[in-house]
Amino acid sequence: MSATINLLANPKGVKKLCELCQKPAKRQCTKCLVTFYCNSDHQQTDWTKHHHKETGLYALQHINWEIEAQRWVSKKRFQDVLPAALLFQRWAMRVYGSCAAELVPAYLLLAQANIGIGSLSQAHEYLSKAEWTVMKTPGCSHTVLHQLHRTLGRLHAATGKYTSALTHFANDVYYASEMFGLGSTVMSGGYFLMADVFLKQNKPGIAHSLYTEVANSWHAHLCKLIDGITDIDLPLLCVDEAQCVEADQMLRCILEFEEQCVKPRPDQSAMLAHSLAMLWLLCNNYTKALDYGKKAEVLIQGLNEQNTLRESIHNLLQHAEKHLE
């Protein structure tokens, strides 16, 4: 599935024919960029009858397949990512053409999938397409740039080029902070990946400090979500599935790291367990919320100056227990 697919746009050198009469065409649909007409009358006729509906359908289809591919990425089911990402790429080409910046997210998803299954040369090919497209697109958004550098960092880390990986992750953090703000959970994802590289370089002290930044960002974000809920007794679902899986993986990894440290920090472990409890409460998984809440409660016992956190944990346990009755 990772092989190159045929472009749906008209390739260079192929005669452009009218969609209605098949005569040589000189006009192009500015919406989908892949349909041509011999004159304005035929273009108007086709648009009025059905082409505007097809163009809207193309846009909807490429969004649906992007969401599907991202969902499989979050679960690390990379074999399932490939067909969804290829379909995302195909529909995006129908909407935007074969050279548009809107294709970059599809290239990045395909690259991530190939990194995940170990096809690094194929991942490099897709990333080269993404880089080239970005270079040809002045004013590319910071969101696209942070995603590009994050995926490049993943590829370099997978090939053992740790210095290059850290450079790309640093750029990822910069563009993410510009787009989403300092301390955002999106930015913290770059810190998490940098920490993993520093661990591979046998630099646990630096990794520890980066993990702390990630933990603090997520705890603040989840507390804000909980505080913003007016009626916590109702079903919540403030975190989508992909975000929940990603956050769970990061927070559990950092919690395990904290517990294995030579000098464990119970206060930090309690905060991480509280974050996981809030995360699962927001996702309506009250069993997991209760388990992590009880873990946080045990960790915080005997610690001073934790009244705010202790009260928050107590309230969370009450809500989780109420839903499980």
Side-chain angles (χ1 to χ4, degrees):
M1 293 298 295
S2 60
T4 303
I5 64 174
N6 294 323
L7 303 183
L8 294 182
N10 291 302
K12 185 176 181 180
V14 175
K15 291 183 179 180
K16 300 175 179 61
L17 302 177
C18 177
E19 184 73 8
L20 295 188
C21 66
Q22 299 302 300
K23 291 181 180 179
K26 297 180 180 180
R27 302 178 67 87
Q28 181 183 30
C29 175
T30 58
K31 297 292 185 180
C32 72
L33 304 178
V34 295
T35 307
F36 295 84
Y37 303 94
C38 62
N39 57 49
S40 59
D41 289 339
H42 279 192
Q43 182 176 5
Q44 182 63 36
T45 299
D46 192 39
W47 180 262
T48 303
K49 285 186 175 180
H50 61 82
H51 186 58
H52 70 285
K53 296 179 182 179
E54 291 181 354
T55 302
L57 176 62
Y58 297 161
L60 180 61
Q61 287 288 352
H62 100 267
I63 292 171
N64 288 341
W65 285 115
E66 179 181 15
I67 293 171
E68 183 73 3
Q70 289 173 339
R71 185 167 70 90
W72 292 127
V73 166
S74 69
K75 294 183 176 182
K76 297 187 177 180
R77 292 177 54 174
F78 298 111
Q79 289 288 1
D80 293 316
V81 176
L82 288 172
L86 283 168
L87 285 166
F88 168 32
Q89 179 191 24
R90 178 177 296 177
W91 287 106
M93 283 180 177
R94 285 198 170 212
V95 177
Y96 303 108
S98 60
C99 301
E102 287 80 2
L103 291 176
V104 172
Y107 293 143
L108 297 182
L109 284 167
L110 286 163
Q112 285 186 65
N114 280 284
I115 292 170
I117 63 178
S119 299
L120 301 185
S121 60
Q122 188 66 52
H124 183 269
E125 183 177 333
Y126 282 119
L127 281 170
S128 295
K129 291 181 180 180
E131 284 189 284
W132 177 245
T133 304
V134 168
M135 286 176 62
K136 295 190 301 178
T137 310
C140 210
S141 76
H142 285 172
T143 298
V144 170
L145 291 171
H146 111 74
Q147 292 172 345
L148 173 62
H149 282 288
R150 183 167 295 189
T151 312
L152 284 166
R154 290 180 188 274
L155 178 63
H156 285 287
T159 55
K161 300 176 181 178
Y162 297 134
T163 301
S164 296
L166 289 172
T167 299
H168 284 297
F169 288 143
N171 285 325
D172 160 28
V173 167
Y174 168 75
Y175 287 117
S177 66
E178 285 288 298
M179 191 68 195
F180 302 101
L182 293 172
S184 69
T185 56
V186 177
M187 189 188 78
S188 72
Y191 281 146
F192 181 81
L193 293 168
M194 291 177 75
D196 184 58
V197 173
F198 281 119
L199 284 177
K200 291 176 180 176
Q201 292 182 320
N202 197 27
K203 298 177 181 179
I206 301 176
H208 202 184
S209 64
L210 289 169
Y211 279 155
T212 300
E213 288 291 328
V214 177
N216 291 340
S217 293
W218 268 104
H219 189 260
H221 176 66
L222 292 165
C223 283
K224 188 175 181 179
L225 288 179
I226 291 287
D227 292 342
I229 295 168
T230 56
D231 189 352
I232 202 167
D233 291 330
L234 297 175
L236 305 178
L237 279 177
C238 294
V239 183
D240 64 40
E241 182 185 8
Q243 189 180 32
C244 181
V245 172
E246 181 184 12
D248 176 62
Q249 291 171 349
M250 286 194 292
L251 294 171
R252 281 192 295 106
C253 176
I254 299 171
L255 179 57
E256 290 171 9
F257 179 84
E258 283 287 346
E259 292 174 338
Q260 293 170 6
C261 284
V262 177
K263 295 181 179 180
R265 299 182 295 176
D267 56 336
Q268 190 72 5
S269 295
M271 186 181 73
L272 285 160
H274 182 224
S275 293
L276 284 160
M278 289 190 290
L279 176 68
W280 288 112
L281 184 68
L282 289 165
C283 294
N284 298 323
N285 190 323
Y286 303 111
T287 301
K288 285 189 176 183
L290 190 62
D291 289 342
Y292 281 113
K294 288 180 177 179
K295 185 180 182 71
E297 188 178 45
V298 171
L299 287 166
I300 207 171
Q301 287 178 359
L303 296 178
N304 296 323
E305 299 179 1
Q306 294 289 335
N307 293 331
T308 303
L309 187 57
R310 184 178 288 109
E311 182 181 354
S312 181
I313 293 170
H314 177 72
N315 291 336
L316 184 147
L317 287 171
Q318 281 188 322
H319 288 300
E321 288 170 349
K322 181 177 179 179
H323 281 284
L324 288 173
E325 289 177 356

